[in-house]
């Protein structure tokens, strides 16, 4: 897929993504949603979050490395960043720390 | 200044501290999208149509790695499933508004909007049904304007950002605190483990199907594990 040359399918996918996102947000504000809101356990949506986020982290991590040295550096960065994320709970701090660490490790050819 | 405008700007002003995190996120999204080959117009188009930071990041990442826009759309919309929870949470108040207002405010229902809704509920309680929507609209437009603004900045700043900064690695980093925040029960750790192992073993499946199978499998396993743990705890 070449995103530089947007196709009808790509633009259509963006519109579908936007529409589905809107439907999620509007779901319980629609007339049907108002009736459903008491029947669906919120617990299920809570479980979806850790499963989805972990899967994305793993997938993105696997997609991000090209060679074993690269894997080693990024894995170390990820492990240390878990600690920072746990201590700060801040997206901003975790990203700044993680990217700085990775940059430093790569420059030092660790 | 009319009363409605006054409440609009009150909502806007009170949301400002919450959107600090939106700025680097928007810049990062646009930069990653530029790195993966998206045009500036398309980057802005996605921000306007979807208006969901994490899902947009995943969408451009999946487009780059999976080649199929439909599967990328499917993958990215799973991220936004948490908006269902927000929708359920605000529905008690918002269902008192007219359909027009419910449609408008639904578009703005993001993480920041939900945070504003929960943290500013005392102020909202003092407003009547005609004033409240304006108050929330101010909040929603605050996040939206910062998101679009940072997207534009990121689109053009990308030229200055070297590839050695590994900006695409920001995606797993962004989700780390979100995972940690989402861990609430003992069984949630097992969900993460199952999801990670499953993605690793299913990574060769076409169209990134491994990602979706992993999410479904981890969620189902997590549901059963937590159910069992809760039963065990209650029997004690």
């Amino acid at each position: 897929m070449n995103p530089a040359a947007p196709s009808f399918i790509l633009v259509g996918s963006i519109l579908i993504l936007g529409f589905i996102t809107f439907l999620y947000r509007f779901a319980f504000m629609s007339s049907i949603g108002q009736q459903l809101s008491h029947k669906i356990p919120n617990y299920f949506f809570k479980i979806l979050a850790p499963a989805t986020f972990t899967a994305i982290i793993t997938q993105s991590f696997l997609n991000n490395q090209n060679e074993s040295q690269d894997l080693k550096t990024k894995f170390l960065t990820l492990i240390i960043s878990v600690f920072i994320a746990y201590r700060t709970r801040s997206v901003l701090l975790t990203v700044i720390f993680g990217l700085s660490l990775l940059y430093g490790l790569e420059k030092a050819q660790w | 200044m009319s009363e409605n405008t006054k409440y609009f700007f009150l909502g806007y002003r009170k949301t400002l501290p919450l959107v600090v995190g939106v700025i680097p996120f928007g810049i990062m999204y646009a930069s990653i999208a530029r790195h993966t080959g998206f045009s500036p117009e398309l980057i802005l188009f996605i921000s306007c149509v979807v208006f969901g930071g994490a899902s947009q990041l995943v969408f451009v990442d999946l487009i780059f790695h999976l080649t199929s826009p439909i599967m990328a759309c499917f993958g990215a919309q799973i991220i936004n499933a948490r908006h269902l929870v927000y929708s359920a949470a605000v529905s008690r108040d918002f269902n008192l508004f007219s359909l027009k207002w419910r449609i408008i405010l639904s578009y703005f229902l993001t993480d920041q909007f939900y945070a504003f809704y929960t943290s500013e509920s005392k102020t909202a309680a003092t407003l009547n049904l005609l004033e409240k929507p304006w108050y929330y609209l101010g909040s929603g437009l605050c996040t939206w304007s910062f998101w679009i603004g940072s997207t534009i900045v990121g689109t053009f700043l990308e030229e200055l950002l070297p590839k050695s900064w590994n900006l695409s690695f920001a995606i797993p980093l962004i989700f780390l605190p979100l995972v940690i925040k989402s861990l609430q029960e003992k069984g949630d750790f097992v969900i993460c483990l199952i999801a990670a192992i499953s993605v690793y073993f299913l990574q060769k499946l076409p169209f990134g199907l491994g990602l979706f199978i992993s999410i479904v499998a981890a969620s189902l396993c997590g549901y059963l594990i937590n159910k069992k743990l809760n039963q065990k705890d209650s029997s004690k």
Side-chain angles (χ1 to χ4, degrees):
Chain A
M1 181 76 218
N2 178 15
S7 61
F8 175 75
I9 298 173
L10 179 59
V11 174
S13 301
I14 295 165
L15 289 172
I16 291 168
L17 177 62
F19 184 64
I20 294 171
T21 304
F22 174 79
L23 288 183
Y24 278 142
R25 293 167 178 167
F26 186 66
F28 288 97
M29 288 182 245
S30 64
S31 53
I32 304 165
Q34 287 172 27
Q35 295 163 5
L36 278 174
S37 63
H38 299 289
K39 292 179 184 171
I40 300 171
N42 279 346
Y43 182 63
F44 181 76
F45 300 121
K46 285 178 187 170
I47 282 175
L48 209 59
T52 308
F53 295 153
T54 311
I56 289 164
I57 290 170
T58 315
Q59 169 102 349
S60 190
F61 174 76
L62 293 170
N63 287 338
N64 246 293
Q65 34 81 22
N66 305 313
E67 51 194 65
S68 60
Q69 179 62 32
D70 200 31
L71 174 71
K72 197 176 156 189
T73 314
K74 284 181 175 164
F75 186 70
L76 179 72
T77 306
L78 200 67
I79 294 297
I80 299 172
S81 299
V82 168
F83 177 73
I84 299 297
Y86 177 74
R87 294 291 296 177
T88 63
R89 309 277 164 120
S90 161
V91 171
L92 192 58
L93 285 177
T94 309
V95 170
I96 291 170
F97 176 84
L99 290 182
S100 307
L101 180 67
L102 183 62
Y103 182 79
L105 289 172
E106 283 189 346
K107 281 279 167 200
Q109 291 189 323
W110 183 82
Chain B
M1 189 188 283
S2 72
E3 285 293 293
N4 292 342
T5 317
K6 194 179 98 183
Y7 290 118
F8 171 84
F9 282 110
L10 182 66
Y12 194 99
R13 191 168 49 80
K14 287 198 170 193
T15 311
L16 285 173
L18 296 170
V19 297
V20 175
V22 167
I23 302 162
F25 206 63
I27 293 173
M28 214 176 293
Y29 151 71
S31 305
I32 292 168
R34 285 292 277 159
H35 268 288
T36 50
F38 279 81
S39 66
E41 298 82 18
L42 206 58
I43 293 168
L44 197 61
F45 179 67
I46 298 172
S47 274
C48 290
V49 172
V50 182
F51 187 38
S55 61
Q56 290 179 218
L57 275 167
V58 171
F59 183 75
V60 295
D61 189 52
L62 289 177
I63 286 280
F64 186 64
H65 289 108
L66 297 178
T67 73
S68 164
I70 300 293
M71 291 312 290
C73 169
F74 184 57
Q77 59 88 12
I78 290 174
I79 313 291
N80 289 334
R82 72 184 187 287
H83 292 152
L84 273 172
V85 181
Y86 301 160
S87 178
V90 303
S91 62
R92 281 183 193 171
D93 282 335
F94 284 23
N95 283 337
L96 301 171
F97 302 156
S98 66
L99 180 65
K100 178 191 84 181
W101 274 117
R102 277 184 279 150
I103 290 172
I104 294 169
L105 293 175
S106 292
Y107 172 74
F108 294 109
L109 190 53
T110 56
D111 298 345
Q112 286 72 25
F113 189 93
Y114 181 65
F116 172 82
Y117 171 81
T118 49
S119 62
E120 297 296 335
S121 55
K122 280 183 184 172
T123 311
T126 63
L127 307 178
N128 66 39
L129 276 179
L130 293 173
E131 295 160 346
K132 266 187 191 178
W134 288 98
Y135 182 58
Y136 289 121
L137 181 68
S139 170
L141 269 175
C142 179
T143 310
W144 187 86
S145 57
F146 274 85
W147 178 246
I148 298 297
S150 56
T151 299
I152 294 168
V153 170
T155 304
F156 296 103
L157 201 73
E158 189 273 338
E159 309 288 333
L160 305 170
L161 299 174
K163 289 199 170 165
S164 62
W165 286 16
N166 285 302
L167 272 177
S168 60
F169 193 68
I171 295 176
L173 294 172
I174 284 166
F175 286 101
L176 281 180
L178 299 180
V179 169
I180 290 165
K181 280 182 199 171
S182 68
L183 299 175
Q184 289 171 354
E185 305 208 21
K186 289 177 209 167
D188 291 350
F189 289 98
V190 185
I191 298 173
C192 296
L193 205 63
I194 294 169
I197 293 169
S198 178
V199 167
Y200 179 78
F201 283 107
L202 300 176
Q203 62 177 306
K204 300 282 181 212
L205 286 181
F207 307 116
L209 268 174
L211 180 75
F212 316 117
I213 294 171
S214 302
I215 291 169
V216 174
S219 301
L220 288 175
C221 290
Y223 182 77
L224 295 172
I225 291 165
N226 277 331
K227 202 174 173 183
K228 202 147 199 174
L229 284 173
N230 289 339
Q231 280 173 352
K232 219 173 186 179
D233 286 346
S234 57
S235 67
K236 279 180 186 173

